[in-house]
Amino acid sequence: MLRSPHDAEDITQEVLLQIYRSLPDCRLDGLKTWITRIAVNRAIDFKRSRARKPEELMDSEAMSEKVHEELVSAPAAETLAIEQADRQQIRERVEEMPENYREVITAYYMEDKSYEQIAAETGLERKSVESRLYRARGWMKRHFRKEDFE
């Protein structure tokens, strides 16, 4: 996010200090998300402060245009970090499923494969793939709770 190993080391050190100071007040549920949020927010703050006082002299119009382009073109790092944590949690839960269900769920939802592609790769009939997906969804409804993914 910072595009400079030196800056990343500095920010990492500050983040670790902030985490250490805040740890007594921390609730341990959602620890990864909490740590990620601290790191991302600190990196964003650093980039904003760097944009306000650039090393190179730029006129204010060119600088504001550059900052605007960076903010518009790049998705929010915090959002990306949270989405990545969510995907990881989902992958972990899918690993708990029986193998025959896990195989079709992974192929269909995570790898975006069609019924025909899954059938060709697994040696199953298309109708069998549909049936397994249907049964896998039912298995998930019985074994997973919505609260597990929030």
Side-chain angles (χ1 to χ4, degrees):
M1 185 174 172
L2 297 174
R3 296 190 173 113
S4 164
H6 178 71
D7 292 341
E9 289 175 1
D10 290 345
I11 297 304
T12 300
Q13 193 170 28
E14 291 178 27
V15 167
L16 291 173
L17 285 171
Q18 186 173 354
I19 290 169
Y20 179 74
R21 285 188 212 115
S22 303
L23 217 48
D25 302 328
C26 172
R27 296 180 323 218
L28 293 180
D29 53 350
L31 183 65
K32 284 194 316 189
T33 305
W34 177 70
I35 290 172
T36 302
R37 183 166 292 204
I38 289 173
V40 168
N41 287 342
R42 184 61 195 108
I44 290 170
D45 291 345
F46 177 80
K47 286 183 83 166
R48 285 181 182 156
S49 70
R50 171 76 47 96
R52 282 189 218 115
K53 42 187 172 174
E55 293 175 19
E56 302 172 15
L57 292 176
M58 295 179 129
D59 63 12
S60 61
E61 184 177 317
M63 179 51 119
S64 71
E65 184 177 315
K66 180 180 175 186
V67 170
H68 178 68
E69 286 175 11
E70 286 180 10
L71 291 175
V72 169
S73 66
E78 180 179 350
T79 303
L80 291 175
I82 291 171
E83 287 173 0
Q84 183 178 8
D86 289 345
R87 282 192 300 272
Q88 179 61 34
Q89 182 182 17
I90 290 170
R91 276 190 218 99
E92 290 169 2
R93 295 306 304 258
V94 168
E95 286 298 316
E96 298 172 13
M97 297 179 72
E99 173 61 34
N100 58 337
Y101 295 159
R102 182 180 344 133
E103 184 178 33
V104 292
I105 289 291
T106 301
Y108 188 75
Y109 288 106
M110 297 177 172
E111 297 170 2
D112 292 324
K113 293 182 180 177
S114 68
Y115 291 153
E116 289 78 16
Q117 289 174 313
I118 298 169
E121 290 176 7
T122 60
L124 297 170
E125 295 293 324
R126 184 182 193 281
K127 283 289 187 186
S128 297
V129 171
E130 291 177 23
S131 295
R132 280 197 187 176
L133 277 170
Y134 178 80
R135 290 184 189 125
R137 289 182 198 112
W139 189 93
M140 288 189 294
K141 287 177 185 175
R142 287 189 308 276
H143 292 87
F144 298 155
R145 296 177 312 191
K146 184 178 179 181
E147 298 83 38
D148 294 340
F149 296 95
E150 293 177 350

